[in-house]
């Protein structure tokens, strides 16, 4: 996979900063080498024509494995982020680098992508058709900035009051789509007869092009193994029946025209999944089914949602906000 030569030459011209009125910083041979060092590569300018050399480097970067057809290599995402650094604004552009962003998007549109600034003032790539965003691999265990902690608190407040359907539609669907899952289908709760123990099914394509199928059983509250649970909590025995139904029931994949079994089951809770609940469920399942179960509780949802830079659900945003507080996409 890759970009057309015309697109590569246009982006290379932006990296070089050619032209007196260019909204991009001019980079000589030394600074081109430094530019690609900043994006964690070892390319050194060999003294050849700058634009041709940069286009060749971009071609090599785009020849790296793509996580999915809608997601360019992480290195290319770093190139775009470095190219559009707001600190490199030129005198003939505004603080949001509107002229530079417009010029870049004219080239990227040919390949079905667009660049945009998120609230963290960094530039990301979005695939126009699927709305998926290419970004460096998220680390949900890293320290959060003050702005990220504020977003996390807003999402936490939303999870406290949202319904189960809102949890699925406003939080889980965007999150799993952003993490690279596709063909995400929500069963919903209108027709329980067709749910078969799962709220969502989806698939994930490995770099080898093998496909894994996942089902999700989502609950709004806390999961515990108590015989009598508090209001809003869910007994894990109920989850056991739904998980067994999910793993044993085939789903129809219209893309291949076949019925397939779910490979793994996500148990997702908008609250805490207690250690006792995990152990109880593990003891009730045989070894083969136990390896198919994946857990995701409130803290996992909050951390992943923040590090993937997803927009908060609309219900979390106040009526009055500044232009830079807009959801990124």
């Amino acid at each position: 996979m890759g970009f057309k030569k015309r697109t590569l030459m246009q982006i290379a011209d932006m990296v070089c900063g050619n032209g007196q009125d260019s909204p991009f910083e001019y980079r000589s041979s030394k600074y081109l080498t430094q530019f690609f060092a900043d994006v964690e590569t070892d390319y050194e300018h060999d003294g050849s024509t700058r634009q041709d050399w940069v286009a060749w480097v971009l071609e090599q970067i785009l020849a790296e494995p793509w996580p999915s057809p809608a997601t360019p290599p992480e290195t290319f995402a770093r190139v775009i982020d470095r190219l559009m650094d707001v600190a490199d604004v030129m005198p003939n552009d505004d603080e949001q680098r509107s002229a530079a962003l417009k010029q870049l998007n004219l080239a990227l549109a040919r390949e079905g992508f667009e660049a945009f600034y998120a609230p963290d003032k960094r530039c990301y790539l979005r695939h126009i058709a699927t709305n998926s965003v290419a970004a460096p691999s998220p680390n949900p265990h890293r320290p959060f900035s003050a702005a990220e902690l504020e977003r996390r608190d807003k999402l936490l407040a939303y999870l406290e009051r949202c319904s189960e359907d809102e949890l699925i539609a406003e939080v889980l669907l965007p999150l799993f789509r952003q993490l690279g899952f596709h063909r995400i289908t929500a069963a919903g709760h209108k027709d329980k007869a067709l749910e078969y123990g799962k709220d969502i099914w989806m698939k994930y394509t490995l770099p080898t092009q093998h496909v894994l199928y996942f089902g999700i059983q989502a609950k709004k509250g806390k999961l515990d193994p108590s015989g009598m649970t508090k209001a809003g909590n869910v007994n894990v025995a109920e989850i056991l029946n739904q998980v067994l139904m999910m793993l044993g029931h085939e789903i129809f994949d219209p893309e291949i025209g076949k019925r397939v079994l779910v490979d793994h089951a996500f148990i997702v809770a908008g609250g805490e999944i207690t250690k006792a609940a995990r152990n109880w469920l593990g003891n009730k399942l045989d070894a083969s089914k136990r390896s198919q179960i994946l857990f995701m509780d409130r803290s996992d949802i909050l951390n992943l949602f923040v590090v993937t830079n997803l927009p908060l659900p609309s219900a979390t945003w106040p009526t009055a906000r500044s232009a830079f507080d807009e959801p990124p996409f």
Side-chain angles (χ1 to χ4, degrees), residues 34 85 157 223 263 270 313:
Q34 187 179 81
D85 190 335
L223 301 188
D263 295 294

Side-chain angles (χ1 to χ4, degrees), residues 238-291:
E238 175 188 342
I239 296 294
L240 173 63
N241 293 330
Q242 293 173 332
V243 166
L244 291 175
M245 190 184 305
M246 181 195 308
L247 294 174
H249 185 267
E250 293 180 330
I251 55 177
F252 179 74
D253 184 353
E255 290 184 351
I256 61 173
K258 295 181 180 178
R259 300 186 70 83
V260 295
L261 286 171
V262 170
D263 295 294
H264 293 282
F266 270 106
I267 298 176
V268 181
E272 178 191 2
I273 303 177
T274 65
K275 185 176 180 180
R278 296 172 192 244
N279 291 338
W280 185 91
L281 187 61
N283 291 333
K284 292 295 181 181
L285 296 169
D286 60 42
S288 62
K289 285 189 169 60
R290 196 180 308 140
S291 64

Side-chain angles (χ1 to χ4, degrees), residues 69-213:
T71 309
E74 184 178 321
T75 308
F76 186 72
R78 290 198 295 267
V79 168
I80 296 301
D81 183 35
R82 175 65 186 86
L83 175 64
M84 299 302 296
D85 190 335
V86 292
D88 294 337
V89 61
M90 300 300 289
N92 58 347
D93 205 349
D94 57 33
E95 292 183 357
Q96 284 74 42
R97 300 201 65 182
S98 301
L101 188 64
K102 180 180 179 180
Q103 185 173 329
L104 175 61
N105 279 332
L106 285 173
L108 290 173
R110 188 180 301 112
E111 311 296 338
F113 290 91
E114 67 176 347
F116 68 96
Y117 283 107
D120 61 1
K121 300 186 180 181
R122 296 183 61 183
C123 190
Y124 295 89
L125 273 178
R126 173 169 49 205
H127 188 247
I128 297 171
T130 63
N131 209 35
S132 60
V133 176
S137 301
N139 177 12
H141 306 296
R142 64 170 171 77
F144 290 158
S145 66
E148 288 175 327
L149 288 173
E150 182 180 355
R151 294 182 72 244
R152 193 180 189 277
D153 290 341
K154 288 180 179 179
L155 182 59
L156 176 60
Y158 177 79
L159 293 180
E160 293 282 357
R161 65 177 187 271
C162 72
S163 67
E164 192 169 301
D165 284 338
E166 289 172 331
L167 170 66
I168 292 170
E170 300 291 336
V171 178
L172 297 183
L173 291 183
L175 177 60
F176 281 104
R177 192 172 290 117
Q178 176 61 22
L179 292 175
F181 293 86
H182 53 105
R183 194 68 195 185
I184 302 175
T185 304
H189 292 81
K190 292 183 178 180
D191 191 350
K192 293 279 188 179
L194 298 178
E195 198 172 322
Y196 297 111
K198 60 188 176 301
D199 295 315
I200 304 170
W201 77 266
M202 58 194 181
K203 60 185 187 179
Y204 186 85
T205 303
L206 300 173
T208 59
Q209 300 306 303
H210 293 88
V211 175
L212 296 179
Y213 291 86

